[in-house]
Amino acid sequence: FKAFETEVVLQNMGRKAQTLNWVNPKQVDKAARLNKAKQLGPAEVRAIEAEEVVFSISPERCILRPKEMLSFTIRGYAEKQGGVEEWLKCKIVAGKVNKTVCDVHMTAAIMKPCMEISTNSISYVYSYEKDVLLRPQMAPLTLRNLMDLNLDFSLKTQTPFRVDQADWTLAPNEATTVNVYFDPGYKTEKLSNTVKNKLNVMYTDMPHRDSIDLAAEVNYPNLKLSTAAVEFGAVLNDTTKRVNFTITNVSKVDCVYTWVLAEDKDENPSASLKKGASSRVLAAKVLSLSQVYDICPIRGVLRPGESEVLEASYYAHANSRLNATAVCNVEGGPQYEVALMSESSTIKYSIDNPTLSFGQQLYQKGIDKEITLQNSGRVPFNFTVNLEALKRKSVLQIWPLEGYLGPNEKAVFKMRITPGIPDKIYEKFYIQVAHFEAEEVVITGEGIFPAVQLSLPRVFDMLDVYEGFLDLARANVAARGPRKDAPALNASRTLKARPQSGQTEPGSREGEKKASMAFGGETTKPVDDDAMSVASAAPTVAHSVAPTVTPTMGTRKTLKRIKIDGDVEMEADRLQLCSTLIAIQAKSDAEEKAAFEETLKSSLTMSSTKLTLEERLSASMQRPLSAASNKSKKTAAKIPKSPKRDGNRGEGTMRVLSQYFCDLGHVVKGTNKTKKIKVQNSTGQPVSFSFDKKMMPAGVSVEPEHVNKLAEFDSIELALTLQTGGLTPGKLDVSFNIDMKNGPLVQLNLSAHIQQPEIELSAYTLNFSRVQVGHCKCITVQLTNPNDVPADWIIRKPMEKVQDWNFFRCVPSGGTLYPGQKLNMQVFFEPAAVRSEYRQDIPLKIVNNKKEVRFTCLGEAYQLTLRPEPAVVDLQPILPNTEEPNEAFFSLWNDSEVAIEVVSLDFDQAFLEDDEVTAYADGYDDQDRMLLPPLEAGKGLWPHLVEANLARKAALQAIADAEEAARLAKEERERRKAEGIEDDPEAEEEEHIAPQVEEAEAQDAAEEHPQDNEIDLEPCTSTNVLYIGPPLSGKTTQAKKVSERYGSLMFKLDDCITDLLQNDTNPWGFPAPIEAPKREPWGKVIPQDPGIKQWHDTMMARVKALQVLLKDKLHTIMNPPPPPPVVVEEEQVNPKGGLAKGKSMAKGKTPTDKERPLTPPAGAEVVEAKAAPPPPPRKKKKKKNF
């Protein structure tokens, strides 16, 4: 809206100057609220800022002197229409005094310009009419001022519109008419168009504007051409090429058109003939345009919106080039030009690589190759690819199969070559270019396959067919020759097959013929090297074995081991794989062909046209090809992606090439059994394979699971583990595959028999009957393993009812029983007290079997009872040195059931001799016990112990004699040396040889009686008496009397210590007081006294003898004697008990010392004798059961 203003005059009527300040309260309030709103948010700030303050005054602040008058200008401006009311306050400012002088009430009515316009839009229409003069068009426009004020405005517009007067002033309610003109001839190109513009009404000093829409439509006869140039390109000589284009009447009036041909200004027809033109075209001849180009139809009329297809034709004179312009004259409209460009030439092309060789390639893996077809001339042409010559359609995928090539363009054929079979490939196809003879393209190479060989027997469903392949393979390998760079395979080949009816004899001519026909050949004769596939294999490593028949995998299969080397086996596998793949591919091709014919037949039936199959195929081959490739210099095609298929499991591939058999035999339930399998790469390229964990049978695992790039002819060891924890006992037959990367599967058939270990006992109740306390009775129980797996067992103490556990023991208490093995376990009963019943259940725990085997041991114990009367013997007092002793008599009563032999432990010389025999006897165990058969009362000791003791004494005597002879010889030498007599060399030699001879004789005696090796060489039969008491109690007096009476040696400990300190005698190794004597290598001091020296030499001889005996003992421990004979039935126990001489242990034979077992035979009662290890002789112990 327009700004407005007024003036206010103030006069100072006082006598002081006043400072005046004008304030708009609305403005002050807005500023205050705006400061507060900034703390709230941007929305509140925008709302306050949108409030409008209309009035302002200037100057706002001034000083008015006395009697002075000043004029203030009040201005107003509003952007909104309507009434406005505000106050302006004038205040006097004097120090702190702020006094209002006057309030000015301001009001205003805000109005926008208001004018009535007769119309909001003006339209004009002009259409071409023949012979009608072109004039401007006029339209009137009425304007009226509806305001109460005068209204000044101006009218403005643009060409092709104009008004007769631009500036106007209208009084209130005044009206006027304005003429608005439109010129339809403002453009000279005579093209139909539509013009839109506005007639603007602009008010003086006001921003508000009004406008009137102006629109004009001009209609001339116009055409639209589908192209501005027709490029015929290079056309084959003496041929005609036609190109269609379309014209359309896009105007609202009829179009009358006529075509004429015009030469280009720069084109000289006579110069357009190329050098070297054909002789049938004259170089000087000028060609007219009508002889080269033509347009049909040449004239016509098109109604509005109609279209017409025109044909432009070009006749190619030999090797010429001519450009022209086709002009379309439209009546009352513009002219349209179409450029005509062409030339004539011949077809020229080239194929860069007509022979493709892909070398060795995995038979299932495709290799991408490219060949390029290039148009090297100026004439475009069509091309097609003919694949009918391919022997196997699956070998080649090529794209594009047809196309169009412009001048200097290239077509790149993308090919994916898949050998499909592991054999040499020779295929060819043809590329047809225009009308020329088809070009041949040859593909060569060799398909190979990854394969491994396992150190396991192979399994075949049709062994006779495979043997036919073996015969062909031998012929091929013989013609080709073995591979020299391949190492030998470390496995002899075993073949298994199910017998089937109708099979031919392996190795027969009929079998060879079947194998050859299965591969696709006609005869079984060896093929030449060109037609034969070269497979990588190894030299001959095999042995001929007689055929056998064994049941495996739950069925009867023929097991045959034949002489075959790795090279022949690989070749046979290749032939078998080729045969299978060709058969599968032939079946797939037949199914696809049948499906295609069925689809084509259905489409022919549904079609309304009656065409034969050949006509439809011909029509489909003759469809016009797209010329879109003209826009690019190079045509690069891509092979369409085929659906993904698993190379090992898709149709057209062989699922399993070879099958192997692994028999783990019998496996214990709950254990893991692992078998090492050697896998060898039998090809000339790295192979990768893996095991799918999801497809593995339950409980079967293989390590490693993935093998990547196993080198040529290299091998790796796989660990096949069967975990039987979660499997059911019984026969197990499973199979799983080795996934060969880019190759056929290898199947592994696993067989095992899972069993739980069991043990059977010959008796489950052992009755020991009556056994004497202190004796031990043994019953032998036979353990048998009835199953085919080892059984680990152990005797364990039960958790309950173990009252009599310590009285029974089993030897051995654990071990392993192998399939079918039997073991004799000895159960000993050793009662400790008289009881009427001993009873104990003994559990036998079998590893990996939750069920225990229990047997019960029963027994009864009795004890020998000897009763003296009286129980106490009183010898009455006796005086010292009395010659007659006091005597007393007592009686012994045997209250037992058996005879008892009674001896005096101190006065019976026979008992002392028997005690010496048992003390040095061999055969004590780690608990210082030796088990022997019971002796009858009144009988002597066991003969073998007595004989051993006599041999021991003889050996000691021989050693003593040798030492005495050595001592005498030494004294003789010293005497002769002291007297100055020279030594006789022969005597010295005899002296040196004599100890050696004696030592050898002693060694022979020790070998004849090895039981004496652990007995002291110098036994002590005397009794050592030690007197201990307080001082002056008579110890020395009593010791002297006993020594004088028995002729024994007596010494005091104090005298021994005093003698050692005074004399240089040191038999126990104490250091000498003056000088250190010589020492042995182990540090002991050599005594100086001759007597002690002799005793020292004797001790050293004993030490050396003990070393020899310990060596023999170790040899006996490392090489234990054979086990005792098996005794199953319990022997009768002598009910009388008592002492008894040696009895035969088995079948009446008394064993020697070497054959004597450590434990007695079953059912025999034994005497337990205590003994201490020699030497020195230990203290005699009281022997039981004597």
Side-chain angles (χ1 to χ4, degrees), residues 720-964:
L720 174 64
T721 303
L722 177 63
Q723 301 173 352
T724 62
L727 302 180
T728 304
K731 196 71 169 63
L732 176 67
D733 292 321
V734 294
S735 62
F736 55 94
N737 296 328
I738 302 177
D739 294 333
M740 301 296 300
K741 185 177 181 181
N742 298 319
L745 299 177
V746 176
Q747 188 178 79
L748 186 58
N749 301 311
L750 177 64
S751 178
H753 195 96
I754 303 174
Q755 287 186 340
Q756 280 191 338
E758 296 180 0
I759 292 179
E760 295 179 353
L761 277 64
S762 59
Y764 292 89
T765 301
L766 305 182
N767 190 358
F768 289 87
S769 64
R770 293 170 56 83
V771 179
Q772 179 181 332
V773 175
H775 282 204
C776 174
K777 185 173 182 180
C778 172
I779 297 180
T780 301
V781 179
Q782 190 171 75
L783 309 182
T784 305
N785 183 0
N787 290 344
D788 296 325
V789 293
D792 297 331
W793 62 278
I794 187 172
I795 301 295
R796 289 184 178 177
K797 185 176 182 179
M799 301 298 296
E800 55 185 9
K801 297 181 180 180
V802 292
Q803 178 182 0
D804 298 336
W805 177 262
N806 295 328
F807 305 113
F808 298 93
R809 61 187 178 93
C810 300
V811 178
S813 60
T816 301
L817 275 182
Y818 293 97
Q821 184 182 0
K822 296 181 179 181
L823 175 68
N824 294 330
M825 180 179 68
Q826 295 176 329
V827 183
F828 295 93
F829 174 46
E830 302 178 25
V834 177
R835 280 171 53 185
S836 61
E837 182 182 14
Y838 283 84
R839 183 184 185 92
Q840 180 63 51
D841 291 338
I842 299 179
L844 188 147
K845 173 63 178 177
I846 304 174
V847 181
N848 295 317
N849 192 341
K850 297 181 179 180
K851 185 179 179 181
E852 291 183 343
V853 178
R854 289 177 176 265
F855 60 94
T856 304
C857 295
L858 302 174
E860 180 182 355
Y862 68 94
Q863 192 173 8
L864 298 180
T865 304
L866 187 65
R867 178 169 50 86
E869 289 186 1
V872 177
V873 178
D874 187 6
L875 295 178
Q876 300 298 324
I878 186 171
L879 293 174
N881 301 322
T882 301
E883 296 181 357
E884 294 295 330
N886 289 349
E887 294 181 352
F889 297 93
F890 64 93
S891 301
L892 295 177
W893 295 87
N894 183 7
D895 296 335
S896 304
E897 300 177 356
V898 295
I900 300 177
E901 182 180 358
V902 181
V903 297
S904 173
L905 300 180
D906 297 322
F907 307 106
D908 190 347
Q909 186 63 31
F911 172 75
L912 297 177
E913 294 177 356
D914 292 345
D915 189 41
E916 178 185 354
V917 172
T918 58
Y920 293 97
D922 186 19
Y924 289 95
D925 57 11
D926 54 353
Q927 297 181 1
D928 201 14
R929 298 186 311 176
M930 180 170 54
L931 300 181
L932 297 171
L935 294 176
E936 296 181 1
K939 302 295 182 180
L941 288 181
W942 296 270
H944 67 278
L945 295 183
V946 176
E947 293 175 1
N949 189 51
L950 295 176
R952 177 184 64 81
K953 290 183 177 181
L956 289 176
Q957 185 63 37
I959 294 175
D961 294 343
E963 292 176 352
E964 181 66 20

Side-chain angles (χ1 to χ4, degrees), residues 246 289 318-319 568 576 713 793 860 1021 1040 1078 1090 1154:
T246 304
L289 294 180
N319 299 322
V568 173
Q576 182 184 14
F713 307 112
W793 62 278
E860 180 182 355
T1021 58
K1040 287 182 178 179
K1078 297 182 180 180
K1154 294 184 179 180

